[in-house]
């Protein structure tokens, strides 16, 4: 019952200058709504975080600092942040609204010809490269954090949000999503841009095959597979993929990060 409260309580309400119109996505850390910015009469996406994060007295300061850094990441394929703040105990981030949904939704609709995947994957890689040049690591790259516009162009979202919701708040907590974690990330070791490259390799595998490379009954079992098992041959699932594409996936998902570049 409690999972329904944010939806029931916020739709039709106003946060700051943003009227909440409908829920478009829900994750473990936040709910995303389609909203309307009253001052400009434009449609936006609002990511609303639970009130309980503000129980940590240092959370909002970290939240402001992290979002401020990310808001200055300007790239054609990084989803722009328009605004952020908190209203009656609800922290929120306002972003450009994209009607094409997420790459996760695209995957659910079935596998695509390889030539349809080239453009969005290239755009994501370019966005990651730009962020890495600025010293910023995504930390939670996955299909649900890649948004699409009506023309199929890809945009990375949620830079740095995993960090502010994760380890800086809880100390030793491993942050990210188990299905896409690099071995060093799964081990709780320091990470750098190569963890994002590993995650992109996993995303590419899933885009091509329609499934995650590692299946297990628990998140911990998935992490152990990332640490110990090579990525399955993509030819197990499709026979129309050039060797060069599989080579890219194998290199990106190398267990030793020194071998992924």
């Amino acid at each position: 019952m409690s999972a329904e409260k944010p939806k029931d309580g916020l739709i039709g309400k106003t946060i700051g200058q943003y009227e909440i119109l409908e829920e478009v996505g829900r994750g473990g850390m936040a709910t995303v709504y389609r909203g309307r910015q009253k001052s400009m009469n434009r449609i936006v996406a609002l990511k609303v975080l639970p009130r309980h994060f503000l129980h940590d007295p240092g959370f909002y300061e970290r939240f402001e600092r992290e979002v401020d850094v990310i808001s200055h990441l300007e790239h054609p394929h990084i989803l722009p942040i328009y605004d952020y703040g908190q209203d009656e105990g609800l922290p929120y981030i306002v972003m450009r609204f994209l009607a094409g949904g997420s790459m996760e939704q695209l995957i659910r609709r079935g596998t695509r010809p390889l030539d349809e995947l080239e453009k969005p994957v290239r755009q994501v890689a370019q966005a990651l490269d730009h962020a890495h040049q600025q010293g910023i690591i995504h930390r939670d790259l996955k299909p649900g954090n890649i948004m699409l516009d009506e023309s199929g162009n890809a945009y990375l979202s949620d830079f740095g949000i995993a960090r502010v919701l994760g380890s800086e708040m809880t100390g030793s907590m491993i942050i990210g999503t188990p299905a896409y974690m690099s071995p060093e990330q799964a081990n709780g070791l320091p990470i750098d841009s190569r963890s994002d490259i590993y995650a992109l390799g996993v995303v590419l595998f899933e885009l091509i095959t329609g499934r995650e490379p590692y299946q297990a009954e628990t998140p911990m079992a998935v992490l152990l597979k990332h640490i110990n098992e090579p990525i399955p041959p993509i030819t197990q699932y499709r026979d129309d993929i050039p060797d060069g594409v599989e080579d890219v996936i194998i290199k990106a998902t190398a267990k030793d990060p020194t071998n992924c570049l």
Side-chain angles (χ1 to χ4, degrees):
M1 294 295 293
S2 61
E4 295 298 321
K5 289 181 179 178
K7 176 180 179 181
D8 293 343
L10 290 181
I11 293 176
K13 301 293 181 61
T14 298
I15 293 180
Q17 60 169 306
Y18 305 97
E19 178 186 3
I20 295 181
L21 302 176
E22 64 175 333
E23 180 182 319
V24 295
R26 183 181 291 259
M29 293 292 190
T31 304
V32 181
Y33 299 92
R34 184 173 68 92
R36 183 175 68 88
Q37 183 178 358
K38 293 182 177 181
S39 63
M40 301 180 68
N41 193 30
R42 69 173 170 181
I43 299 299
V44 297
L46 276 85
K47 182 180 288 289
V48 180
L49 282 58
R51 285 185 173 87
H52 67 75
F53 283 122
L54 293 182
H55 295 168
D56 173 2
F59 170 79
Y60 195 70
E61 180 181 349
R62 292 193 301 273
F63 174 78
E64 285 190 305
R65 183 173 64 247
E66 193 72 19
V67 177
D68 182 66
V69 169
I70 305 308
S71 67
H72 291 88
L73 256 186
E74 295 189 7
H75 186 274
H77 296 289
I78 294 177
L79 192 66
I81 292 176
Y82 291 156
D83 192 10
Y84 62 91
Q86 62 105 356
D87 187 293
E88 297 185 358
L90 286 173
Y92 64 88
I93 303 170
V94 183
M95 300 167 291
R96 178 182 172 188
F97 180 78
L98 295 175
S102 70
M103 192 168 278
E104 180 180 14
Q105 294 167 324
L106 178 71
I107 291 169
R108 288 176 185 167
R109 293 196 288 267
T111 56
R112 294 288 190 276
L114 195 61
D115 58 359
E116 291 184 16
L117 303 177
E118 180 183 354
K119 180 177 74 169
V121 171
R122 183 178 68 250
Q123 291 168 340
V124 170
Q126 291 169 345
L128 271 181
D129 183 56
H130 174 76
H132 293 164
Q133 290 179 26
Q134 312 307 311
I136 295 174
I137 308 167
H138 192 289
R139 301 171 185 267
D140 194 22
L141 179 64
K142 57 185 177 182
N145 285 337
I146 301 170
M147 307 305 295
L148 302 168
D149 65 16
E150 298 89 336
S151 300
N153 294 297
Y155 302 81
L156 270 179
S157 68
D158 283 359
F159 269 99
I161 302 305
R163 180 157 69 125
V164 75
L165 298 183
S167 62
E168 289 197 0
M169 185 169 65
T170 59
S172 60
M173 178 181 175
I174 297 176
I175 59 174
T177 301
Y180 307 93
M181 278 191 186
S182 66
E184 61 271 23
Q185 197 171 4
N187 275 313
L189 299 173
I191 64 171
D192 57 28
S193 60
R194 292 171 293 186
S195 281
D196 284 346
I197 294 172
Y198 182 97
L200 183 58
V202 176
V203 169
L204 180 55
F205 180 99
E206 188 175 359
L207 274 172
I208 291 172
T209 66
R211 70 188 302 276
E212 297 166 2
Y214 301 113
Q215 310 286 323
E217 293 185 357
T218 67
M220 182 55 67
V222 172
L223 292 179
L224 288 174
K225 289 191 173 188
H226 277 289
I227 293 169
N228 297 312
E229 296 185 11
I231 201 160
I234 209 164
T235 51
Q236 287 184 5
Y237 310 101
R238 286 182 65 168
D239 58 8
D240 61 338
I241 304 303
D243 291 342
V245 174
E246 184 162 31
D247 290 344
V248 167
I249 294 173
I250 292 171
K251 191 172 184 62
T253 58
K255 301 303 174 185
D256 183 347
T258 61
N259 294 328
C260 81
L261 296 174

